[in-house]
Amino acid sequence: MQDGGAELLIAAAQRGDASAMSELFAAHRQRVARQILRMTGDPTSVDDLVQEVFIAAFTALAGFRRDAQFETWLHTIAINKVRNWWDARRRREIRERDAIGGGPNEAQNPEQDALAAEHLRRFYVALGALPDKLREAFTARALDHLSLVDASALLGVPVSTVSYRTRRAEELLCQALDLPPPAGRDAEGK
Amino acid sequence: MIRPDDDEPAVRQPRLLELVERARAQPLPPLRTGSDAILRAVAQRRSARTRAAVIGVVLCAAAAWVLWARAVPTWTRVADEAPLDQAARALDGADAGGEATPRALEVTATPRAPAPSPIPIAPPPIEPVDADSGAQTPVESAVAEPASVASAATLAREAERAMAERRRDDAIGLLARIVREHPRHPAAKAALFDLGRLYRDAGRTDEARCAYQMLVRRWPDGPGSDEVGAVLGALGAGPRCRGLRPIRPARDR
């Protein structure tokens, strides 16, 4: 449930009030942008995705039920947009790989030769290779620091499912990044 | 499934956790997107949706109109034909019964608004009694009750198909059914025109003459009556007709 001011703002935006929409955008865009950056790891795509998220949100605003959290609703839209973004990126990488006949793209920018940047790049490559559901659970829990309960509400699945998907995603990421498996796997029922 | 602890860590692998923290610490790039661009895009999307909805409604309305336009004339014709078909059947029954004396036909019809028809329908005159033959009715050829009474439109369509496929005998049979089963229907007038032409093409001039004579009797002032009169003049005199059938002398039968 929103607080009173936010609820009035959303109600005005639902009636088509442009200034209310602008206020909503200003209030939420940084948080949405940060979520998108964490989910994608690609600063160049953040602007476009933020725009897509808010266009989709304002277009569908009439259907938003005010008993839900507006932030959570926006986050859900962002997750869907990022999911599409990962799909498109995978397809583009496959096309490029087919076109040049080589392996995965190596860093083109000398700045990315720095070890830290390279590790981060590899991390996002591995994250992008995860199945959507595992990636979204891991992103919500690890990158967005949501609690199990909040991630469960966001993703619309039980807490135990979020937990399992996060752990499974962690295992797969460790494999992809040549890291030792995480400790405490024995406690997990697959 | 074991119930997870609410405070279970999201990442347990320390080096992966480092990467995750580095990912979380990425500096946010400056956002160029402004609310104006978003509001414009939202307005465009809404107007596109509205246009699509309007187009959808228009298309649905057009489809409904086309269906209605195709269905309603059929219903109207069926409704129009109902009392007339009763009359035709009554006449058929009189003929089949072989009554020798003329008798009046009483048809009771409930009043209703006339249905719009592209072809003006003149009230058919009462057929004169053929004193020589003893025929009494205008639809003398309707001696046999058809297995099923098809609508005039259906028969006309089948007749047109038969004519297009050069099945002349079939076409003649179907056109004769229209004249017999739907004597007052506008399709009967066209059927008589076609019957006359088909009979002439087949060299059956006496039957052609009968068709044209029936046409002139029923629609004396209709469009094309002059041409029909001219054709009748060209066909010349011939035997008298009982409906569509020429009455030949006994030795010819």
Side-chain angles (χ1 to χ4, degrees), chain B residues 53-64:
Chain B
V54 167
I55 289 170
V57 168
V58 168
L59 287 177
C60 286

Side-chain angles (χ1 to χ4, degrees), chain B residues 71-114:
Chain B
V72 164
T74 306
W75 299 338
T76 308
R77 282 197 294 273
V78 169
D80 282 348
E81 287 161 9
L84 297 171
D85 290 345
Q86 289 170 7
R89 279 195 286 276
L91 292 167
D92 293 346
D95 278 0
E99 293 179 19
T101 54
R103 66 186 175 91
L105 172 67
E106 289 183 10
V107 176
T108 306
T110 52
R112 76 169 167 251

Side-chain angles (χ1 to χ4, degrees), chain A residues 42 47 57 60 77 79 84 89 91 97 99 135 140 159 169 189:
Chain A
D42 183 1
D47 237 349
I77 295 174
I79 287 173
N84 295 341
R89 180 170 157 145
R91 286 196 298 271
R97 204 159 51 232
R135 184 180 60 249
V159 165

Side-chain angles (χ1 to χ4, degrees), chain B:
Chain B
M1 179 82 66
I2 298 169
R3 166 82 186 177
D5 295 333
D6 287 342
D7 57 351
E8 77 169 18
V11 183
R12 292 158 298 159
Q13 221 291 344
R15 288 174 61 192
L16 182 62
L17 186 59
E18 279 178 31
L19 284 172
V20 167
E21 291 303 329
R22 201 173 295 153
R24 280 183 54 79
Q26 291 177 95
L28 192 64
L31 294 174
R32 298 182 309 274
T33 303
S35 61
D36 291 345
I38 288 174
L39 293 178
R40 267 198 310 276
V42 170
Q44 283 173 0
R45 195 172 287 191
R46 281 185 177 159
S47 64
R49 280 186 182 180
T50 306
R51 269 199 306 276
V54 167
I55 289 170
V57 168
V58 168
L59 287 177
C60 286
W65 184 85
V66 167
L67 289 173
W68 180 85
R70 292 179 66 175
V72 164
T74 306
W75 299 338
T76 308
R77 282 197 294 273
V78 169
D80 282 348
E81 287 161 9
L84 297 171
D85 290 345
Q86 289 170 7
R89 279 195 286 276
L91 292 167
D92 293 346
D95 278 0
E99 293 179 19
T101 54
R103 66 186 175 91
L105 172 67
E106 289 183 10
V107 176
T108 306
T110 52
R112 76 169 167 251
S117 170
I119 304 172
I121 307 171
I126 302 296
E127 290 282 321
V129 173
D130 189 330
D132 291 346
S133 64
Q136 308 150 25
T137 68
V139 283
E140 57 77 32
S141 56
V143 288
E145 182 75 17
S148 64
V149 179
S151 79
T154 304
L155 290 171
R157 273 199 300 275
E158 290 179 14
E160 280 176 18
R161 191 178 306 130
M163 284 189 280
E165 294 170 359
R166 299 185 181 283
R167 291 182 284 115
R168 186 162 53 201
D169 289 344
D170 292 343
I172 286 173
L174 289 162
L175 293 168
R177 275 188 68 185
I178 294 173
V179 174
R180 190 170 64 234
E181 296 172 12
H182 309 282
R184 294 190 185 183
H185 195 277
K189 184 179 181 184
L192 284 169
F193 268 116
D194 288 330
L195 268 177
R197 180 175 52 79
L198 291 175
Y199 280 138
R200 277 167 58 208
D201 291 348
R204 296 159 68 175
T205 51
D206 289 344
E207 286 152 306
R209 189 183 301 104
C210 291
Y212 287 131
Q213 284 175 353
M214 183 182 282
L215 181 62
V216 170
R217 272 202 307 274
R218 291 190 182 177
W219 289 277
D221 303 319
S225 56
D226 292 344
E227 289 84 347
V228 174
V231 172
L232 276 173
L235 288 174
R240 301 173 70 90
C241 298
R242 181 188 294 167
L244 288 173
R245 268 188 286 178
I247 304 167
R248 302 184 193 285
R251 63 179 180 278
D252 291 347
R253 295 188 186 175

